[in-house]
Amino acid sequence: MELFDVYSLYPVEPVRGSGSYVYDAAGTEYLDLYGGHAVISIGHAHPHYVRMISEQAARLGFYSNSVENSLQHTLAERLGALSGYDDYRLFLCNSGAEANENALKLASFHTGRAKVLAFGGAFHGRTSGAVEVTDNPAIRSPFNTTANVEFVPLNDIGAVERKLAAREFAAVIVEGIQGVAGIRCPEEGFLRALREATERTGTVLILDEIQSGYGRTGRFFAHQWAGIRPDLITTAKGMGNGFPIGGVLIAPQFEARKGMLGTTFGGNHLACAAAIAVADTIAAEGLVENARRVGDRLLERLRTLPALHDVRGRGLMIGFDVEGSASELRRRLVFEQHVFTGGAGAHTVRLLPALGLSEAQADEFVARLKALLEDFH
């Protein structure tokens, strides 16, 4: 049997990692400025993380959600304290797409409505409901295409208000920062007006913080820069530092009924151990503040490079554009400068490193990038 060929791959294989570095089988060191799609939040092979997962695996790797699991309660307490949402409740699942699926379902249960409003450039996942609110027809099959979803431009509050006036939308879903679209930030004033419009029309506001959450922007969730509190918040990627886990933070007004949501693997013992280790490390090492401080420095340094255009983002969620092919620049960064980065369209490079990235490592990246840009066309 062969693999189903749906990924474009670099001919390089990291076999181990440490902090913000990964290494191939030959021992070549690569500076990781992408963290596997913003997943590596506390660094590769963090000792506390390795210990927590190893010790839990030696005790009990899995049992179903038909029995008590105190690790779920511990994780909920840690996440509530870190995020400032200790009055919300937590539903645990396996991925960001699954978190969004459950948030959309909860919104529809709560309001009795079927429609959802999303935004141009949005990416919310590849499962059935999540891909329908994703603005990419190329990955949406006929099965995933219904009349239940409409799109409006990001930051256009007038367009939102016109849609919501009929009071037929169960939810508005928006990313804290649009990642796949190329690090596109909702304006703070727009988010505040969006919160007001959804409250006024009885519409659930869902904040997708799967890529932009868990401290990445210098606040625990990106929407907290705008000072709003959405009804539902979805999280995943950095939550488990590589172990699959996702969650929905649910405001107090939502009624829980037995059987309305469910999952086999969500909130399993190993996943919870991984996520507790991440929460412990974020708190103990001040990683949210580090993301803000190092991110500010990295943004400032990148803006001094004349070959880069529209350097944007917050904290350690950064994008910039180049005149030529971003994919070619990224390929040369890997093979000539030994740096991993991410892409988003023809001309955009994305940076999503571990939250513990040091100032020296940020400066090293800028130096390697600058050396490459000198002969890049």
Side-chain angles (χ1 to χ4, degrees):
M1 182 182 291
E2 295 184 351
L3 297 176
F4 195 55
D5 188 13
V6 294
Y7 298 113
S8 297
L9 303 177
Y10 288 126
V12 59
E13 183 183 4
V15 297
R16 66 182 181 90
S18 177
S20 290
Y21 296 96
V22 293
Y23 303 84
D24 64 19
T28 304
E29 181 182 82
Y30 297 82
L31 180 60
D32 185 6
L33 265 289
Y34 195 50
H37 305 302
V39 166
I40 301 301
S41 52
I42 62 171
H44 296 282
H46 191 285
H48 181 54
Y49 177 82
V50 171
R51 183 170 56 254
M52 287 278 287
I53 294 176
S54 300
E55 291 177 354
Q56 183 58 49
R59 287 192 296 269
L60 180 67
F62 176 82
Y63 207 80
S64 78
N65 283 310
S66 62
V67 297
E68 288 282 346
N69 180 354
S70 61
L71 292 171
Q72 294 182 356
H73 297 282
T74 300
L75 174 56
E77 290 168 3
R78 301 283 172 83
L79 179 52
L82 276 174
S83 67
Y85 282 99
D86 54 359
D87 58 329
Y88 281 42
R89 289 160 294 165
L90 178 64
F91 176 77
L92 290 165
C93 52
N94 305 290
S95 69
E98 190 177 333
N100 283 334
E101 293 278 351
N102 282 285
L104 293 165
K105 187 187 295 186
L106 272 173
S108 186
F109 274 136
H110 183 71
T111 62
R113 303 171 184 174
K115 297 186 71 173
V116 176
L117 189 64
F119 293 94
F123 185 91
H124 298 290
R126 293 176 179 267
T127 54
S128 186
V131 79
E132 193 175 354
V133 293
T134 290
D135 186 24
N136 184 352
I139 64 171
R140 193 184 311 129
S141 75
F143 173 72
N144 305 125
T145 305
T146 75
N148 284 336
V149 178
E150 297 184 29
F151 294 90
V152 293
L154 186 67
N155 292 319
D156 187 343
I157 192 60
V160 172
E161 290 175 335
R162 287 189 292 273
K163 292 290 185 183
L164 297 189
R167 297 175 183 259
E168 60 182 1
F169 287 88
V172 176
I173 185 168
V174 63
E175 292 159 89
I177 294 178
Q178 289 188 335
V180 174
I183 315 300
R184 305 297 173 184
C185 300
E187 297 167 358
E188 291 182 17
F190 169 75
L191 286 178
R192 288 190 285 269
L194 181 62
R195 175 69 284 190
E196 293 173 3
T198 52
E199 287 179 337
R200 187 169 61 250
T201 58
T203 310
V204 173
L205 179 57
I206 304 171
L207 249 297
D208 177 342
E209 293 279 8
I210 289 158
Q211 189 172 129
S212 57
Y214 256 76
R216 178 151 299 281
T217 67
R219 295 283 179 90
F220 195 83
F221 291 125
H223 70 263
Q224 291 173 313
W225 288 99
I228 65 166
R229 287 173 70 86
D231 302 301
L232 300 170
I233 305 162
T234 57
T235 182
K237 293 189 184 297
M239 187 176 187
N241 200 54
F243 201 103
I245 187 170
V248 187
L249 280 68
I250 303 166
Q253 69 265 27
F254 289 82
E255 177 190 358
R257 299 193 306 274
K258 301 298 186 185
M260 70 186 303
L261 304 178
T263 167
T264 296
F265 295 105
N268 69 75
H269 296 72
L270 284 175
C272 285
I276 292 167
V278 168
D280 289 346
T281 304
I282 287 175
E285 299 184 6
L287 294 185
V288 178
E289 173 55 34
N290 188 75
R292 179 162 56 241
R293 179 175 52 83
V294 177
D296 285 348
R297 179 184 180 90
L298 185 51
L299 282 163
E300 181 181 354
R301 294 289 309 280
L302 290 170
R303 286 172 178 148
T304 68
L305 303 182
L308 306 186
H309 306 285
D310 191 18
V311 178
R312 57 195 178 270
R314 248 179 175 153
L316 291 175
M317 187 171 185
I318 295 171
F320 59 80
D321 296 338
V322 294
E323 291 287 350
S325 166
S327 62
E328 176 60 15
L329 176 64
R330 292 175 54 234
R331 186 194 67 79
R332 291 185 61 186
L333 277 168
V334 171
F335 295 107
E336 297 177 28
Q337 296 294 328
H338 297 151
V339 179
F340 282 113
T341 59
H347 304 289
T348 300
V349 175
R350 271 191 295 169
L351 307 179
L352 300 161
L355 307 184
L357 187 78
S358 69
E359 290 184 352
Q361 289 166 338
D363 291 347
E364 178 63 23
F365 167 68
V366 173
R368 296 189 197 186
L369 175 62
K370 184 177 180 180
L372 190 59
L373 289 171
E374 290 175 357
D375 68 347
F376 177 75
H377 304 287

